[in-house]
């Protein structure tokens, strides 16, 4: 145990600080402080020594330089077991500083507020970060308290241990301190870097421990602020697999502006439809694959009314996501206590994707490009009709958000079926045909979308045999002409987009 005799306190946030100051005063600790913190301490009637008395220098440059002085950092960094260090402290009349209570200017909040650059620059802490690092480095002798989150615990052991700290406590707080300082530096770097330097730096403090990972024998943690995206209105905590499906659902629904409902399972849509009325969108989305919909994740971009809710309520599902709910609809959903009901908020999503592989990490831009009618290039003698192009654009959005290799069939802005995650495009197409027939769909008049080009005409041939007469694909194969020739021979329309949409 090490007794605290001298303290340095210099904080931006004064919340919850007063009880600690009063306890340090009660313990007879000498307190040094600066600027606004010094005034705060004086105002509560506690004696405090200005840091200027220690350094013999005033705060200068508009407060940019206050504590950056050997008389401060010597007292923090001196190794109490080194006789040479102690002799120098005595020589220069530097007090041993045993506890440092300091926090940092709110740099991230300043950036988020949209403040101008000069204001943001002034919120880059220099003295505070230096004090934190110095005290954490010398944890064997000095306690660093780097955040208001630590005040309650600090107050507890100050009282229970009569102003003494253990090496274990000091080391634990040093770990917290380096976490705070590294997070702060990462935020500053990312502000300045703005993609100029190919370096991946992320620091996410907020986290939620999940029940388990992808499987029960795996641990799982979500890092991020889910509350910024959703308000959970009912149900159990989201699982790892729920979160994957919810992520896929949110990105898929972002593609659609008109009234749309989607059902997802294992990150892929098993049903989706756009209609004038929400209840019709729900019924037609469910019709594509009511078997897979069991236990799925549901999402819509409209307020859920009671009429639609009563139909949805007939199905067992894990999660529903919507921008709003009628009061009656919400009460109905809440009759199942484990059913997760999420209210989706407006938020700007990240523009990059990151995933771990091997002994490293892959980062890429998100695929935010959607294939529009204006970008479609007719490549066959038969041109796609306007109605077909509407369905082709619809099917392409689904295809983009489905695991590769994938084929999607759609008609009248309804997902008919899809072949998902197959090792060959032909197999994906065959799977889509089987699923369409299994649920009673007639593919005559439907359109087909592919996430990548056709190296051979086998896919358009199979599609034609099932009644498909319009196809959308990126094109780009050296053998594109083979598929074009087949379509011409069989009076099929095909459009190229020039954009591949692999999703692995």
């Amino acid at each position: 145990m090490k007794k605290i005799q001298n303290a340095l306190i210099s904080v931006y946030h004064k919340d919850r600080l007063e009880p600690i100051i009063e306890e340090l005063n009660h313990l007879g600790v000498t307190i040094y402080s600066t600027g606004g913190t010094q005034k705060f301490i004086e105002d509560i009637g506690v004696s405090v020594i200005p840091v200027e008395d220690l350094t013999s220098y005033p705060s200068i440059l508009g407060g940019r330089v206050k504590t950056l002085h050997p008389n401060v950092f010597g007292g923090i960094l001196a190794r109490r077991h080194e006789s040479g260090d102690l002799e120098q402290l005595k020589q220069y009349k530097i007090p041993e500083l045993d506890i440092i209570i300091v926090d940092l200017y709110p740099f991230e909040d300043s950036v988020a507020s949209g403040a101008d650059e000069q204001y943001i620059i002034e919120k880059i802490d220099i003295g505070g970060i230096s004090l934190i690092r110095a005290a954490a480095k010398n944890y064997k002798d000095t306690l660093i308290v780097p955040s208001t989150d630590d005040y309650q615990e600090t107050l507890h052991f100050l009282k229970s241990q009569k102003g003494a700290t253990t090496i274990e406590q000091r080391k634990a707080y040093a770990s917290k301190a380096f976490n705070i300082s590294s997070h702060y530096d990462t935020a500053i770097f990312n502000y300045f870097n703005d993609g100029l330097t190919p370096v991946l730096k992320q620091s996410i403090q907020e986290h939620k421990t999940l029940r388990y990972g992808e499987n029960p024998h795996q641990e799982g943690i979500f890092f991020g602020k889910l509350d910024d995206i959703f308000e959970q209105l009912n149900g159990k905590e989201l699982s790892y697999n729920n979160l994957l499906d919810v992520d896929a659902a949110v990105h898929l629904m972002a593609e659609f502006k008109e009234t749309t409902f989607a059902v997802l399972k294992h990150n892929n849509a098993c049903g989706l439809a756009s209609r004038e009325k929400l209840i019709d969108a729900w019924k037609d989305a469910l019709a594509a694959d009511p078997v897979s919909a069991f236990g799925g994740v549901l999402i819509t971009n409209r307020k859920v009314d009671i009429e639609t809710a009563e139909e949805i309520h007939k199905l067992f599902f894990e999660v529903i996501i919507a921008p709003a709910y009628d009061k009656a609809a919400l009460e109905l959903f809440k009759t199942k206590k484990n059913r997760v009901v999420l209210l989706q908020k407006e938020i700007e999503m990240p523009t990059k994707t990151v995933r771990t592989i091997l002994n490293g990490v892959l980062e890429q831009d998100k695929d935010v490009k959607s294939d529009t009618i204006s970008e479609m290039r007719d490549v066959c003698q038969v041109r796609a009709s306007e109605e077909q192009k509407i369905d082709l654009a619809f099917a392409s959005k689904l295809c983009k958000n489905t695991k590769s290799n994938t084929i999607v069939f759609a008609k009248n802005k309804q997902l008919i079926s899809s072949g998902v995650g197959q090792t060959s495009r032909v197999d994906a197409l065959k799977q889509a045909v089987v699923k369409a027939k299994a649920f009673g769909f007639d593919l005559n008049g439907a359109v087909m979308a592919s996430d990548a080009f056709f190296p051979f005409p086998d896919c358009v041939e199979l599609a034609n045999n099932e009644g498909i007469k319009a196809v959308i694909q990126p094109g780009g194969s050296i053998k594109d002409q083979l598929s074009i020739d087949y379509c011409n021979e069989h009076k099929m329309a095909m459009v190229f987009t020039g954009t591949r949409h692999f999703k692995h």
Side-chain angles (χ1 to χ4, degrees), residues 22 49 94 133 158 262 273 417:
E22 290 177 341
I49 300 174
I94 300 173
R133 290 177 60 85
L158 284 176
S417 64

Side-chain angles (χ1 to χ4, degrees), residues 8 27 37 59 61 85 129 133 145 148 190 227 246 248 315 348 360 366 379 396 423-424 428 445 472 486:
L8 172 62
L27 292 167
T37 309
S59 172
L61 307 181
D85 286 10
I129 201 80
R133 290 177 60 85
V145 183
T148 56
N190 286 332
D227 291 344
V246 166
L315 176 76
E348 185 175 339
K366 277 190 177 175
V379 294
S396 178
T423 52
S424 82
I472 185 170
Y486 182 90

Side-chain angles (χ1 to χ4, degrees), residues 486-497:
Y486 182 90
C487 289
N488 285 335
E489 290 170 11
H490 295 83
K491 296 181 172 52
M492 296 175 70
M494 184 161 62
V495 300
F496 284 3
T497 64

